[in-house]
Amino acid sequence: MSAYQPSERTRVRRKPSRGGYDVELVHSILDEALTCHVGFVADGQPYVIPTIHARLGEVLYLHGSPSNRMLGALAEGTPCCVTATLTDGLVLARSATQHSLNYRSAIVFGTAREVSGEEQKRLALRTVVEHMVPGRADVVRGPDERELDGVAVVAVAIEEASAKVRSGPAIDKTVDVDPERWAGVLPLALTAGSPMPDESVAEGLPAPEQVRNWRRG
Ligand SMILES: Cc1cc2nc3c(=O)[nH]c(=O)nc-3n(C[C@H](O)[C@H](O)[C@H](O)COP(=O)(O)OP(=O)(O)OC[C@H]3O[C@@H](n4cnc5c(N)ncnc54)[C@H](O)[C@@H]3O)c2cc1C
């Protein structure tokens, strides 16, 4: 499958030229975003909860405390909507109404299942660590049985998905275009600072290569 099939839920209505259903595009946004927002309804109340996600194929793993409301609701089969957003720039026009953001976002609809098998849980938690820092799962201690029992994991199967991307300059009305008034884009990027070692780390021990060289995406 190279593209998700647009449906009544996922068809991008406003500025459809910015919408896309390409699987690689949706995956790339989900993979680059460090966090997502999960929307679901519990007892008639809509919630939108920020959380960490990690994708493996057509599945998004979410994890947390076994008493977590969101994970509990999702494990019971409550449908959910997962959104990931990357903010790429401030679009600064000459008129107030033409100001915008450059962004890439993905919206996924799916239904979750609880991940309870030991091997599946290990795989999910490994995927979460790899999502944060590729290569790190191989150098950290994996969870023991008690730790596995102490964490709830759900797998959201991607049923439908769409992406929306805005890029490029401000779109000023012709009457506002004036070479003597500045307009343009201020690119934004998430960059890593210098690694700060834990105080228990031996002096002079360098951070692992995958931490030193971490880049968003
Ligand atoms: C970037 C980021 C990543 C996170 N990653 C994870 C994760 O991987 N796993 C995980 O379990 N949790 C994660 N959290 C925390 C998560 O957002 C919730 O706080 C957590 O799921 C709370 O669950 P609960 O069942 O105790 O709260 P709920 O019963 O769901 O929440 C009760 C009420 O508390 C308030 N509340 C709860 N969370 C927040 C919040 N984040 N900000 C403001 N108000 C809030 C709301 O009013 C909510 O209605 C993350 C948060 C952030 C911001």
Side-chain angles (χ1 to χ4, degrees):
M1 179 180 66
S2 63
Y4 297 103
Q5 185 67 33
S7 72
E8 275 312 294
R9 301 201 276 196
T10 58
R11 195 179 307 280
V12 176
R13 289 179 172 77
R14 237 189 76 65
K15 305 224 187 249
S17 60
R18 294 180 182 168
Y21 306 91
D22 183 73
V23 170
E24 269 185 34
L25 175 63
V26 170
H27 284 184
S28 70
I29 296 168
L30 292 170
D31 293 350
E32 187 169 332
L34 287 170
T35 62
C36 68
H37 286 80
V38 180
F40 62 98
V41 176
D43 299 326
Q45 171 65 52
Y47 293 89
V48 179
I49 299 288
T51 196
I52 298 170
H53 65 285
R55 182 188 66 83
L56 191 62
E58 292 301 312
V59 161
L60 293 179
Y61 289 117
L62 311 175
H63 77 294
S65 155
S67 63
N68 184 299
R69 182 208 307 264
M70 171 189 76
L71 296 174
L74 266 51
E76 286 171 8
T78 304
C80 66
C81 176
V82 181
T83 299
T85 307
L86 302 165
T87 309
D88 292 328
L90 305 181
V91 179
L92 306 171
R94 293 181 183 86
S95 71
T97 56
Q98 295 306 104
H99 280 65
S100 188
L101 290 174
N102 279 339
Y103 62 83
R104 287 164 289 153
S105 55
I107 297 186
V108 165
F109 292 95
T111 310
R113 64 177 168 82
E114 186 178 2
V115 177
S116 49
E118 185 181 325
E119 282 316 304
Q120 283 297 307
K121 249 181 163 177
R122 280 187 195 284
L123 176 65
L125 296 177
R126 182 187 165 83
T127 308
V128 169
V129 174
E130 285 292 301
H131 176 79
M132 293 172 77
V133 180
R136 189 150 179 81
D138 289 332
V139 298
V140 295
R141 177 179 69 75
D144 62 26
E145 268 180 44
R146 260 183 81 161
E147 288 169 326
L148 280 180
D149 283 345
V151 63
V153 179
V154 300
V156 180
I158 302 177
E159 287 162 12
E160 296 182 20
S162 58
K164 196 168 178 184
V165 177
R166 193 217 186 271
S167 59
I171 306 168
D172 265 318
K173 290 181 183 153
T174 314
V175 290
D176 291 319
V177 174
D178 172 357
E180 296 305 316
R181 289 171 60 220
W182 194 91
V185 170
L186 186 62
L188 299 177
L190 182 72
T191 57
S194 300
M196 294 164 56
D198 188 272
E199 60 183 26
S200 59
V201 168
E203 212 177 313
L205 185 72
E209 195 192 342
Q210 75 269 23
V211 175
R212 292 200 309 272
N213 296 332
W214 186 91
R215 300 274 181 283
R216 184 173 93 163

